[in-house]
Amino acid sequence: MARSSADPCIVVIFGASGDLTSRKLLPALHSLYLQELIAPGTSIVGTSRSAFSDDAFRKRIREGVRGYCGKNPVGASWNPFAQNIHYVSGDATDERSMQELGQELAQIDAEEGTKGNRVWYLATAPSLFSPIAGQIAKAGLLDTGGWQRLVVEKPFGFDLESARTLNASLADHYREDQIYRIDHYLGKETVQNVLVFRFANAIFEPIWNRRYIDHVQIMAAEQGGIEDRGTFYDQTGALRDVAQNHLLQLLSLIAMEPPVAWDADVIRDQKVQALKAVRRWSPDDCRSVVVRGQYEGYRQEEGVSSRSSTETFFAAKMYIDNWRWAEVPFYLRTGKKMPSKTTEIAIQFKRVPHLLFDRTAVQEIDPNLLVLRIQPDEGISLTFGTKVPGPEVEVRTVDMEFDYDSDFGSGRPAAYERLLLDCILGDPTLFARSDEIDQAWQIMDPIVKHWARGGRPRSYPPDTWGPEASDDLLRLDRRSWRNS
Ligand code: BG6
């Protein structure tokens, strides 16, 4: 699909001294710059309370870019990019600091021709999203005559009520089409490919329903722990960090009805419809359909309370109550310190209705399994039964494989590159709309409430697939997790 060309703009990053800025955002912008996907003059202004000179900030960013590409950015490509990076220190919730920032931005407009166009990127602690967004507006920084886009990082809200309050406070100053709620999973090529796979191929749609599908497993397992994010993670947990956003995004892409056009609102309308149909568990139901786990040793991690009941593992069974999916379970699972880093969606088809082969030679035929591997080893596989060569009719399951690297090579744009570019181009398709966030929280809120009533997560040893209760969740349904 041909993309329009980008307007020059200023990308203003709040929380610029943080990790996200140096590890993801600036390397992504640098890569877009090298590919000439952003317009000449486009500038970046980092701001936070830490004191940096422009040069010190550029040095920090250069190190981030080196870590990202594995090599030092060379002078010829780095210097002209770095020249358009600036830093303003200040407290973004304070009116005077905001006005000083405004003066710097106006000067860049005059020198670089950025025409008042702004991407306001909130890469701060979630508690600052609303105060900073409000302060930008109150300081008059939206009145530049150019376009204004506000990017809000996750987690978006802490529960349903706080998400609604945040949506409402942003809506006081920004139109919905100016708000870009980022979920980096949507920027992954393999996640976007879920839509292409479903809607660019005629053969899957007729079987994409309760008649042929037995159940769906959506898993985002991580081998790593919480690294140096103890304080953040202990206030967040797996439900808010991954399940409410990344896992439900994947679920909505698998479950949605076919959209009539590749259009931001048409696609998002269908995702919202799918989320609306997800059965709402009562806090009491949660006891039997949700598992909360915590890896052993978590409470000794830096920044974590020694009595913490924050979950590092989440598993749940969900149903989508509509004609397509009635009574097909969707099992969701995510966790830290698991045996491998694997994100995948496994669609398990039903067994053949009648076994016509001699039962002495064929005990059982594995049902077909379609696996969309989001990462790593990105690809898609489909299993099917095949006759083993020989005089008997012996059936063995084999794989049909598509592997991204073999077909397309290993280079793929990183999620943040794609999403930052979309934001600069004004394409919100891969960003969450307010009603999507609201629906996702309506699904998760009873679980949050159930956990808030007390109890503790079940512990699991690092390097395992989570607490036993997670296996029981499927065992009770005579199923089992697919462990990569
Ligand atoms: C982030 C979470 O949104 O996603 C992290 O905050 C998690 O805790 C990360 O590790 C996983 O992303 P990816 O792209 O590595 O699967």
Side-chain angles (χ1 to χ4, degrees):
M1 217 168 293
R3 316 226 44 195
S4 52
S5 58
D7 297 329
C9 64
I10 308 180
V11 180
V12 187
I13 304 176
F14 295 91
S17 57
D19 242 26
L20 182 70
T21 305
S22 48
R23 281 199 311 130
K24 301 276 186 192
L25 303 182
L26 265 295
L29 287 164
H30 179 245
S31 170
L32 292 174
Y33 168 81
L34 293 182
Q35 296 168 71
E36 298 182 9
L37 290 170
I38 49 181
T42 295
S43 301
I44 296 149
V45 176
T47 176
S48 80
R49 274 186 297 203
S50 315
F52 284 114
S53 63
D54 281 358
D55 278 342
F57 185 60
R58 288 172 187 154
K59 196 161 161 245
R60 188 182 161 86
I61 298 304
R62 191 171 191 183
E63 276 155 23
V65 172
R66 183 192 308 139
Y68 182 82
C69 337
K71 54 180 193 266
N72 221 351
V74 288
S77 74
W78 175 254
N79 294 340
F81 173 74
Q83 194 184 304
N84 282 337
I85 301 179
H86 309 267
Y87 185 82
V88 177
S89 81
D91 175 356
T93 58
D94 166 69
E95 205 173 323
R96 246 195 53 201
S97 298
M98 205 54 109
Q99 264 150 10
E100 280 166 22
L101 174 66
Q103 284 158 14
E104 172 87 15
L105 300 180
Q107 196 179 332
I108 297 174
D109 276 343
E111 287 167 9
E112 301 295 338
T114 38
K115 302 184 182 151
N117 298 328
R118 305 279 186 265
V119 171
W120 305 98
Y121 200 117
L122 306 183
T124 62
S127 58
L128 293 174
F129 294 163
S130 169
I132 296 178
Q135 201 55 258
I136 296 170
K138 280 184 213 137
L141 304 193
L142 300 176
D143 312 322
T144 58
W147 51 252
Q148 309 292 330
R149 292 172 196 146
L150 178 77
V151 185
V152 189
E153 263 294 336
K154 55 169 268 286
F156 194 95
F158 198 69
D159 55 12
L160 179 60
E161 195 187 333
S162 58
R164 284 187 172 161
T165 307
L166 179 55
N167 266 332
S169 83
L170 299 183
D172 284 343
H173 304 290
Y174 302 82
R175 296 188 313 268
E176 177 61 30
D177 66 354
Q178 294 179 313
I179 306 172
Y180 288 66
R181 297 170 192 81
I182 207 162
D183 181 320
H184 80 280
Y185 260 52
L186 291 177
K188 292 181 190 283
E189 281 290 328
T190 43
V191 173
Q192 294 163 47
N193 191 43
V194 174
L195 286 185
V196 175
F197 178 80
R198 285 193 58 195
F199 303 125
N201 296 293
I203 61 169
F204 298 108
E205 179 55 22
I207 55 169
W208 208 258
N209 55 52
R210 64 190 304 274
R211 241 184 115 190
Y212 297 97
I213 294 179
D214 177 75
H215 74 276
V216 177
Q217 296 187 13
I218 301 178
M219 169 173 86
E222 292 187 77
Q223 209 165 12
I226 54 168
E227 287 152 7
D228 51 2
R229 299 159 79 215
T231 312
F232 161 81
Y233 196 89
D234 207 34
Q235 294 161 9
T236 309
L239 180 151
R240 296 182 178 88
D241 193 38
V242 173
Q244 183 269 346
N245 31 70
H246 306 331
L247 293 187
L248 287 183
Q249 284 292 344
L250 296 180
L251 175 141
S252 64
L253 293 171
I254 290 295
M256 70 193 273
E257 293 301 314
V260 294
W262 191 270
D263 168 272
D265 276 323
V266 173
I267 291 177
R268 293 185 298 175
D269 286 346
Q270 294 298 2
K271 287 168 67 191
V272 169
Q273 285 304 319
L275 293 175
K276 270 190 188 160
V278 174
R279 191 177 301 170
R280 275 38 171 169
W281 298 119
S282 72
D284 283 337
D285 295 330
C286 290
R287 218 170 285 141
S288 56
V289 294
V290 182
V291 177
R292 160 167 72 150
Q294 188 186 72
Y295 63 79
E296 286 164 11
Y298 170 75
R299 290 188 212 150
Q300 283 77 57
E301 301 270 19
E302 208 184 313
V304 170
S305 149
S306 57
R307 297 170 50 78
S308 173
S309 58
T310 299
E311 76 289 355
T312 60
F313 176 93
F314 166 95
K317 173 160 76 167
M318 303 208 168
Y319 286 108
I320 301 178
D321 292 329
N322 60 17
W323 276 54
R324 184 187 287 269
W325 296 113
E327 302 311 322
V328 175
F330 280 65
Y331 299 104
L332 275 55
R333 177 170 63 156
T334 183
K336 302 272 186 199
K337 295 242 174 167
M338 294 177 72
S340 68
K341 178 160 174 76
T342 310
T343 305
E344 63 172 36
I345 304 166
I347 292 148
Q348 176 80 72
F349 290 90
K350 292 191 169 166
R351 291 187 182 281
V352 290
H354 167 64
L355 196 62
L356 53 93
F357 313 105
D358 176 2
R359 280 182 192 268
T360 53
V362 180
Q363 295 297 321
E364 215 165 52
I365 299 180
D366 290 335
N368 301 99
L369 176 73
L370 174 71
V371 180
L372 308 180
R373 291 194 308 274
I374 304 297
Q375 62 189 20
D377 306 328
E378 291 90 338
I380 298 176
S381 69
L382 177 66
T383 66
F384 55 94
T386 303
K387 180 179 177 304
V388 179
E392 304 292 338
V393 182
E394 193 189 330
V395 180
R396 188 178 303 162
T397 301
V398 294
D399 258 354
M400 208 148 71
E401 265 291 321
F402 154 62
D403 174 63
Y404 269 80
D405 285 0
S406 345
D407 278 77
F408 299 124
S410 58
R412 274 181 285 289
Y416 274 100
E417 266 179 51
R418 171 66 201 258
L419 295 174
L420 277 162
L421 180 62
D422 280 6
C423 179
I424 291 172
L425 292 172
D427 179 351
T429 313
L430 301 178
F431 293 83
R433 222 169 45 185
S434 64
D435 48 352
E436 230 173 314
I437 298 276
D438 197 275
Q439 288 299 327
W441 270 120
Q442 285 188 42
I443 296 166
M444 293 297 181
D445 210 48
I447 305 177
V448 171
K449 295 219 162 73
H450 167 61
W451 288 351
R453 294 200 296 207
R456 289 200 155 277
R458 293 160 193 272
S459 75
Y460 61 96
D463 216 22
T464 64
W465 293 101
E468 260 177 41
S470 154
D471 295 330
D472 295 342
L473 185 69
L474 273 74
R475 200 174 296 134
L476 283 173
D477 295 346
R478 295 168 184 275
R479 299 189 176 96
S480 57
W481 289 109
R482 207 188 99 74
N483 289 336
S484 306

